[in-house]
Amino acid sequence: MVKLLSLALAIGLSAVTANGMNFEKKYTLTTEFGFPVDVSVVTTDLDNDGKIDMLLGSPAGILRAEMEKDRFESKGLIYKFENNKNPNMRVGIDVGDFNQDGLKDVAYATPEGVRILENIGNNKFKDLGYVIKNDNMFVSADVHVADVNKDGKDDIIYATSSETQIWLNK
């Protein structure tokens, strides 16, 4: 089970300056997945409550954390992967309003394709299954959401180790 252990102010903050940009480490997120995994992260206001939500995608599932005052607090899994054929796979995640209902849905990519978790409100999601199916089992996959053709609908960009596909939302 994915478990968010803590997110706290880091002691002994470190800073980086690169090409005129300054970054200072303020938070450290510690997660426990039980085995080495490649995770992906996206931030958004998932439930339209004005607070920043962070989604962490891993081979175990998708974990949601919400900004509470000065730190993120775990809100649990919004999706648990069943029958994962590749427990070391990278899971790419992004958000978009695919059905234009005002709620942000979650797209996640695996080597098998892209699935959509439809946001049905109250932090509940309906798995719509694979909207893009990939017959090849690539080592890594990623997904990004953008209005590629500027028609007002969120489209899907699906990338694997061998190709990148653009899928327009009709």
Side-chain angles (χ1 to χ4, degrees):
M1 160 88 51
V2 176
K3 181 179 173 187
L4 182 64
L5 295 178
S6 68
L7 180 68
L9 288 172
I11 297 179
L13 300 176
S14 58
V16 177
T17 301
N19 208 20
M21 296 177 282
N22 298 305
F23 297 93
E24 182 177 62
K25 182 170 99 175
K26 181 158 179 150
Y27 301 104
T28 299
L29 176 68
T30 305
T31 57
E32 182 179 303
F33 292 109
F35 48 86
V37 297
D38 190 3
V39 297
S40 55
V41 177
V42 66
T43 57
T44 187
D45 182 3
L46 200 58
D47 50 3
N48 296 325
D49 66 355
K51 297 178 184 175
I52 296 172
D53 296 298
M54 179 171 47
L55 299 176
L56 293 114
S58 80
I62 300 173
L63 177 73
R64 177 178 160 260
E66 184 173 80
M67 182 61 94
E68 297 286 344
K69 296 184 182 176
D70 65 346
R71 62 190 173 95
F72 280 98
E73 289 187 11
S74 174
K75 299 299 180 181
L77 288 173
I78 65 166
Y79 185 78
K80 182 179 179 185
F81 292 116
E82 301 292 338
N83 304 318
N84 186 351
K85 295 177 185 173
N86 183 356
N88 296 315
M89 71 180 176
R90 181 180 194 284
V91 177
I93 57 174
D94 206 351
V95 294
D97 186 5
F98 299 109
N99 57 2
Q100 298 182 313
D101 64 355
L103 299 173
K104 294 195 175 119
D105 310 305
V106 178
Y108 71 90
T110 70
E112 297 177 70
V114 177
R115 295 177 83 106
I116 300 291
L117 300 176
E118 179 185 9
N119 188 340
I120 55 176
N122 296 319
N123 294 309
K124 305 276 187 225
F125 295 84
K126 178 181 176 184
D127 184 359
L128 301 181
Y130 284 104
V131 295
I132 299 169
K133 185 74 174 135
N134 186 7
D135 293 329
N136 300 316
M137 291 300 295
F138 294 100
V139 175
S140 63
D142 204 358
V143 65
H144 290 280
V145 175
D147 183 5
V148 176
N149 59 351
K150 304 292 184 205
D151 67 353
K153 296 178 184 175
D154 287 328
D155 305 309
I156 295 174
I157 302 167
Y158 175 54
T160 66
S161 3
S162 67
E163 66 182 1
T164 300
Q165 304 169 3
I166 296 174
W167 292 75
L168 301 179
N169 185 354
K170 298 289 179 177

